[in-house]
Amino acid sequence: MRLIGEILLEISELDQASLERGLAVQQEKGGRIGEILLHQKVIQESDLARALSLQLDLDFIPSLPSEINTDFTSQVPIQFLKKFKMIPLAGPDGNSLVVSDPFLFQAQDELRQLLAWDDTKIVVAPSNTILNAISFSYDISRDTAEEVIQDLHEEDPDLIISAIEETGDLLDDTSDAPVIKLVNLMFSQAVRARASDIHIEPYKSRVAIRQRVDGILYDTFTPPAHIQAALVSRIKVMAKLNIAEKRLPQDGRTEIRIADKNVDVRVSTLPTAYGERVVLRLLDKSSVLLKLTDLGMTPERLKLFNNLIHAAHGIMLVTGPTGSGKTTTLYAALSTINNTDINIITVEDPIEYQMEGIGQVQVNPKINLTFANGLRSIVRQDPDVILVGEIRDLETAEIAIQAALTGHLVFSTLHTNDSSSAVTRLIDMGIEPFLVTSSVNAILAQRLVRRLCKTCREPIEPEQESLQSIGITPDMLEGHTIYRDRGCPDCLQTGHKGREGIFELLLMDDDVKTTILRTSDANAIKKIGVQHGMITLRRDGARKVLEGITTIEEVFRVTEQ
């Protein structure tokens, strides 16, 4: 039998020096060389699985089929399969055991006995692929929302749930309590649908549970009204809130794990006429930060923006309503310029992404750690780049401008409709126009449009009036196809899958500065910006319609003033 190290040298990017370092660790501490190299991050899980298959002359599959027979979920505990990283595949051509470690013979025999399978083939696959397939199989085979809600109807209306601490993977929770089942189902469905928020809204005879996907709220299921108190109590227990206090709003947070995803959940409760309303903000901590190139800017705009974020000093403002992706854009900018040569410090509310190599400060009004106070302290920490989560008041704006004028590069956000309105907002706050023109380098306004699902989008002949509403002329249509949404299983019948930005970048050139010193009228500033080549939000949206990325209705929806 060939040595696994020799095979890995041939099929992966492993070099002899890394292999020898791994062998030295094996000599000192023992263990299997493949797992040591994996731990040292010099090989991938797929490399190790492929090497094992070649060593033992077994079949290797890099990914599992999307359609899996999940009958085994009623016979085998999920914990058993996760522990040994294996999954049974029943097919017309015979049964297979897909494993990440083919040497676990006893576990394979136990699984055959549990399933009453005699003849099985061993197939090797990467462990992360197997774990994802296990979680997905148990997720889709667990009780449907209708079954859980039926249980709730049969449950005692005075049901009180016990204060169980939520620890491991929610898919491992085998609790029979209908409320716990419903909460787990609600979270797993939301994560699978890529939802950003879950809303629990009590009414007289029902509780509406809705989830926000790509910025739009969709109904999911409607439990009976009598379960509302137990449902909210369960969530409060998870978020360590006071379950006895039902008269005051409360805020808290918890962490859940669903399959391979770690999700940070922010919990907000609000008393209403029919009980407490709960909104859960979901933040997938395992999602990677977007790069600047992923935001959806044109190459010319991207080049310009890239130059601005590498400036030595000044303020870069990003504006737009709540949920328009401002923070994502700023994080993408920070990750682009982040290196060991510069000191970057942020003051945020809340800290949404943990970034390596950056000092991040969480605003805490209870101890008077406001944006202004945090920013005042940050300036004394010798920063090169400062990110202020939001300019909310005159004090924060003044310190940010002072920091920019004393040689710091400052990033921040404002809640305004477009880039020119941001100037008006700063002047309305009490900032002198000459300070705005001397400190602000550029203002980026943005919105998020939903991307059309490429599987089911349909070409259409749009009406002239619709095209004119977003500024598309007949001659611009040449060589382009306009699409509309339809809906398919791939996009959960929404017609859309994911979002990307549309942008408006106002550069502070001499003419724009002169206009600001003369007037704070947003329309006058915008007019000068357009004359100097600024592409408005709606024009940028029209470009995405012509490229088949989104719909006319979507651009009109997000740019309507």
Side-chain angles (χ1 to χ4, degrees), residues 472-497:
I472 297 177
T473 57
D475 56 304
M476 290 166 73
L477 276 174
E478 200 171 316
H480 296 284
T481 307
I482 308 291
Y483 294 91
R484 72 172 175 198
D485 51 1
R486 192 180 65 172
C488 67
D490 203 27
C491 59
L492 304 174
Q493 304 302 331
T494 62
H496 300 272
K497 201 171 182 184

Side-chain angles (χ1 to χ4, degrees), residues 49 51-52 60 76 116 146 172 175 234 269 371 501 514 534:
L52 285 167
F60 167 75
V76 186
E146 290 75 19
D172 292 350
S175 171
R234 171 62 179 160
T269 71
F371 275 117
T514 305
M534 181 178 84

